[in-house]
Amino acid sequence: MRAMQVVELGQPLELREVEKPTPLAGEVLVKVHACGLNFGDTLVIKGTYQEKPQLPATVGMELCGTIEALGAGVEGLHVGQKVGAYSGFGGLADYAAIPAEICVPVPDEMDSLDAAAFLVAYGTSHVALDYKAQLQPGERLLVLGASGGVGLTAVEVGKIMGAEVIACARGAAKLELCKAAGADHLICSETEDIRDVVKSLGGADVVYDPIGGDQFKAAMRACNPEARLLPLGFASGDVPQIPANHLLVKNLTVIGFYWGGYVRVKPKVLTDSFATLIDWYSAGKIKPHVSAVHALEDANAALDLLRTRKATGKVVVKISAG
């Protein structure tokens, strides 16, 4: 089968012919229809992600496909069933053998491109805002990087949860996308002072930050007393150092959040979240914004859209029909 693999850290992926996997006990073999790309994939390729695979390694954190075979002991799933999964690795290939417990049945009304763009982005935002930050109706939510893959879903999820949403992004076109997703207020990070604008709107109660760097520092200074800050990525390349005395003065809470970690330590958090999100999708409340679709052999070009921050919403690699 075909697989796009990291052979050497820091180098482009290579399209290689590898052996088709056989599902072990507790696993299913999935024929992959589509793989959603994430900024974390670019970090895996660089060797700077939290989890480092043994090389050569097939990347691709989330996928949608059809089950072709069941490993021993698998119950509740069947051959021919369409599923989505946050696999961590292995999505950029014709087939993937993945644990059955992380598979989420995909409803008939959800196509494979949507399903492959769904789990990480919406799952990250929903667990962050609901389970971790406990965002309440009427609170003011500041979303940094609001036009990106996870940022745009945070705008949508925040609105569904009843928050007043401030979206911060670069340029008029990206801000229009945020407005269409339901943002109440818009901030251009290129031309406006985040702290001044947020404070003029009444301050932030929750900050959702996949960017880091100076934007995090500005957002922290615009927080209301007892605000919660969620650093969940550092797309700027700058991991901010947080002065504890600033937290003390306003009783701020900084909540560390790594969505993928729940796969191992508390998977029910993710499966409960997915059930809610799929209900929202079926009810027409949310729909992934897929801005680019590439073929498997063009995965490097697709990843470049994330590295250069040219993508809005999600970038998906289509691997087979389904």
Side-chain angles (χ1 to χ4, degrees):
M1 70 170 193
R2 302 172 303 158
M4 289 294 284
Q5 294 193 317
V6 184
V7 177
E8 182 180 349
L9 294 178
Q11 297 302 311
L13 300 179
E14 294 185 15
L15 183 63
R16 307 179 76 207
E17 289 289 329
V18 300
E19 187 174 348
K20 182 179 175 180
T22 299
L24 303 176
E27 293 184 337
V28 295
L29 178 67
V30 174
K31 179 177 175 60
V32 182
H33 301 318
C35 175
L37 299 184
N38 296 275
F39 191 76
D41 293 312
T42 69
L43 301 181
V44 171
I45 294 166
K46 288 173 61 178
T48 59
Y49 194 61
Q50 294 97 319
E51 300 176 40
K52 295 178 173 57
Q54 182 177 347
L55 301 183
T58 304
V59 300
M61 294 183 174
E62 62 182 327
L63 59 86
C64 175
T66 301
I67 295 176
E68 287 219 343
L70 305 177
V74 173
E75 298 179 352
L77 298 171
H78 60 266
V79 172
Q81 185 175 18
K82 188 159 72 169
V83 294
Y86 171 75
S87 54
F89 299 95
L92 287 176
D94 289 319
Y95 294 89
I98 58 178
E101 66 179 0
I102 67 171
C103 291
V104 179
V106 172
D108 292 339
E109 64 267 23
M110 181 182 287
D111 67 34
S112 294
L113 294 180
D114 276 358
F118 188 83
L119 297 181
V120 172
Y122 280 107
T124 295
S125 292
H126 184 250
V127 176
L129 296 177
D130 183 49
Y131 180 75
K132 297 292 283 185
Q134 297 181 26
L135 178 69
Q136 299 299 307
E139 288 193 309
R140 197 169 293 109
L141 168 66
L142 170 61
V143 180
L144 304 178
S147 66
V150 293
L152 200 61
T153 63
V155 173
E156 293 179 86
V157 170
K159 284 302 295 181
I160 292 172
M161 294 179 66
E164 179 183 344
V165 179
I166 307 169
C168 180
R170 298 192 303 172
K174 291 183 176 181
L175 288 172
E176 277 300 311
L177 189 63
C178 298
K179 183 178 180 181
D184 299 288
H185 311 284
L186 306 173
I187 301 175
C188 179
S189 60
E190 292 180 317
T191 60
E192 296 181 275
D193 186 295
I194 294 172
R195 174 180 178 269
D196 287 349
V197 176
V198 174
K199 286 185 72 69
S200 74
L201 294 170
D205 300 305
V206 174
V207 175
Y208 180 101
D209 177 26
I211 304 297
D214 290 339
Q215 290 194 30
F216 178 90
K217 297 172 188 175
M220 187 171 67
R221 294 175 67 198
C223 279
N224 290 327
E226 295 194 321
R228 291 89 74 201
L229 298 97
L230 290 153
L232 49 97
F234 311 103
S236 67
D238 180 3
V239 179
Q241 302 304 301
I242 302 169
N245 60 318
H246 289 193
L247 304 181
L248 181 151
V249 171
K250 288 187 177 180
N251 289 300
L252 303 179
T253 301
V254 178
I255 304 172
F257 179 59
Y258 169 40
W259 182 83
Y262 283 101
V263 170
R264 290 180 303 278
V265 301
K266 214 170 184 180
K268 191 174 185 299
V269 170
L270 301 189
T271 54
D272 287 350
S273 173
F274 291 152
T276 296
L277 291 168
I278 287 174
D279 284 347
W280 286 357
Y281 180 94
S282 297
K285 293 181 178 180
I286 56 175
K287 180 175 173 59
H289 175 76
V290 177
S291 61
V293 179
H294 286 250
L296 181 63
E297 59 269 23
D298 295 326
N300 285 309
L303 287 161
D304 281 340
L305 294 174
L306 301 182
R307 292 189 186 96
T308 58
R309 295 172 67 180
K310 292 180 180 178
T312 57
K314 291 289 290 189
V315 177
V316 177
V317 172
K318 184 176 180 180
I319 298 168
S320 67

